[in-house]
Amino acid sequence: PWAEEAQKIMAGVDAVGAGVVVRDSFHHIQDDKPPHFPQIRNNCTRPAGCILDITSVTQNIYESEPADVGMAPCSASEIRSKMRSREMAMRAMGLEAEFNVTDAPSICQ
């Protein structure tokens, strides 16, 4: 569920009194038939009381050994996720948004 929590933070809904439901789907991210992209499935006219429905996409990466003899751990060594930007979430909540302000590098500090 870490990708779901990261999407909640990325969307910035707490700052404007909105909510979010995040569904994380697991796919091979580089598949192109059909392509898998994160989506915001609804829009609101104002942020107050808005509950965004967002789908993120995650891919687990596993290390492999030539002969599976149980020496290597079988958990994912890397998790890759695609999420919607804060700019797109704000627009879906009915707010004005500009990428250079909403998704500036300071969001990760």
Side-chain angles (χ1 to χ4, degrees):
W2 76 268
E4 296 169 6
E5 290 302 314
Q7 179 63 74
K8 289 177 184 178
I9 294 167
M10 181 62 75
V13 294
D14 291 339
V16 295
V20 64
V21 173
V22 180
R23 293 175 183 87
D24 193 31
S25 60
F26 286 84
H27 297 283
H28 193 277
I29 289 180
Q30 295 176 339
D31 283 350
D32 60 349
K33 293 185 181 30
H36 301 286
F37 297 110
Q39 298 178 0
I40 298 177
R41 300 187 175 274
N42 65 330
N43 290 304
C44 302
T45 56
R46 63 183 198 285
C50 177
I51 305 291
L52 287 182
D53 183 3
I54 301 177
T55 302
S56 59
V57 181
T58 297
Q59 174 186 356
N60 290 335
I61 303 298
Y62 298 94
E63 299 295 326
S64 62
E65 57 184 74
D68 186 7
V69 294
M71 297 301 289
C74 58
S75 60
S77 61
E78 181 180 345
I79 301 173
R80 299 175 183 172
S81 290
K82 289 184 179 181
M83 297 178 277
R84 290 307 295 183
S85 67
R86 181 172 290 207
E87 175 188 14
M88 295 306 295
M90 292 179 76
R91 287 183 180 182
M93 289 184 283
L95 298 170
E96 293 291 323
E98 181 182 332
F99 175 78
N100 292 329
V101 175
T102 61
D103 289 279
S106 63
I107 191 172
C108 297
Q109 294 178 356

